[in-house]
Each structure stands twice: as C-alpha cells, then as structure tokens.
Amino acid sequence: MSEERICDYTVCWMREQHAREICSWKYPGRLAVYNYPDWNECRRQGWDITDPARRLLSHFVILRRNELFAYFILRDKGSFISLGLGMKPEFCGKHLGHILMELAIRTYINEFVMDKPLYLTVLTWNRRAIACYRAAGFVIEEEYNDTHAYIPGHRYRMRWNPNYQ
C-alpha cells in the first residue's frame, strides 16, 4: 500500500491496537447503533476486525498526528468494492468527514482495479453522513430495507461517481 497523506492525516493498515480501540468507541444517542461489541465479544463472534489476516486484506486507519482519527474497510465483493467506515466519536459532527472520504477514495483508486465500482450503504435517517457522502461524489442508486444486516434497517445504497462532484 502506498501511503496517503493530507496535512496531518496518514492512512495505514489497521493493527490490533487500532482495532481494539475502535471496539471501545461509543457513539451517543441514535448513533449508538454503530458501536462495536467489546473486543472479546468481537473475537468470540469471529469479526474480521479481530483477525490479523483479514484485517490486512481490507482494513485501514487514518491517523491524525499519530492519534486514531477514523477507519475504513474496502472489501472486494467480486463485481464491486464495498466501503465501510467510521470516525472516532469525538470527531463526529465537526465537518471532518471530507478528510475520511478523500483518503478512503484515494486508497480505493490506488489499491483496486478501477473497473469495479465503489459502493457504500447508509441508514436513511443518517442525514449528516448522507450529506458527507454526496459531497464526496456518492449518489443514491437504491433504497431498501435490510433485515439481515448487523445493523438492520432502511438504507440507501450509494455509488461513487467521480463526475458527480
């Protein structure tokens, strides 16, 4: 992986210490649906974030002056690349999402075959995240109800369109 950098922000592979910290993040209010179980429970359930080999295939972190700022996951799903992401709760709502999105998209461009589109999903009530994703060039392609996801609910499937910005 080539290192991506914006000012004080750097992308690198997720290590166990980062994964453990991410599992301890607690989002307030309605955003609490994004909280991970604690590290031991994630390990017991076999989550990718706890497996070094699987982390190395798809999990990245963004460090801000060596402090964990955010993470993203780029998974090759065959015909497309799936983007999952999260920002440290103390940085949410401070108009910093563009940094996370820019670095995740740069990593996608540098690490994956560009003939596979980039998608993400978002719960339809998460207006702040949707606005951030739109500003990064994502467009809504589908609205659906997912009852089988880790976080069930009504969501949008969004596709990155670099010409949309």
Side-chain angles (χ1 to χ4, degrees), residues 10-76:
T10 305
V11 175
C12 61
W13 292 108
M14 184 185 291
R15 296 184 176 148
E16 183 174 322
Q17 69 193 42
H18 303 130
R20 284 178 177 271
E21 183 177 338
I22 290 164
C23 288
S24 74
W25 289 354
K26 298 302 174 214
Y27 296 96
R30 197 167 189 192
L31 296 176
V33 298
Y34 297 113
N35 293 342
Y36 275 80
D38 71 32
W39 177 257
N40 291 329
E41 182 61 20
C42 284
R43 283 187 64 191
R44 190 183 71 69
Q45 292 181 20
W47 287 45
D48 285 2
I49 197 169
T50 66
D51 183 304
R54 289 189 285 176
R55 269 198 318 267
L56 190 58
L57 291 174
S58 57
H59 291 57
F60 303 86
V61 293
I62 300 172
L63 304 177
R64 179 182 180 195
R65 292 184 221 112
N66 295 318
E67 177 188 354
L68 186 55
F69 168 74
Y71 73 93
F72 59 95
I73 303 165
L74 289 166
R75 283 197 180 96
D76 189 331

Side-chain angles (χ1 to χ4, degrees), residues 44-152:
R44 190 183 71 69
Q45 292 181 20
W47 287 45
D48 285 2
I49 197 169
T50 66
D51 183 304
R54 289 189 285 176
R55 269 198 318 267
L56 190 58
L57 291 174
S58 57
H59 291 57
F60 303 86
V61 293
I62 300 172
L63 304 177
R64 179 182 180 195
R65 292 184 221 112
N66 295 318
E67 177 188 354
L68 186 55
F69 168 74
Y71 73 93
F72 59 95
I73 303 165
L74 289 166
R75 283 197 180 96
D76 189 331
K77 297 289 195 171
S79 61
F80 66 95
I81 305 298
S82 171
L83 172 62
L85 39 86
M87 184 180 292
K88 192 172 187 175
E90 68 191 63
F91 297 120
C92 292
K94 296 186 178 178
H95 305 284
L96 297 171
H98 67 282
I99 295 166
L100 167 56
M101 297 308 296
E102 183 174 339
L103 287 169
I105 291 168
R106 280 189 196 182
T107 303
Y108 158 73
I109 290 168
N110 291 334
E111 299 293 326
F112 292 89
V113 177
M114 288 297 292
D115 64 348
K116 293 185 180 186
L118 179 63
Y119 282 95
L120 59 76
T121 64
V122 60
L123 293 165
T124 57
W125 57 259
N126 195 342
R127 298 287 176 212
R128 195 169 63 199
I130 294 165
C132 179
Y133 303 154
R134 284 181 187 224
F138 282 83
V139 293
I140 295 172
E141 282 204 343
E142 178 183 13
E143 184 175 341
Y144 64 100
N145 190 36
D146 190 344
T147 58
H148 302 292
Y150 170 68
I151 304 170

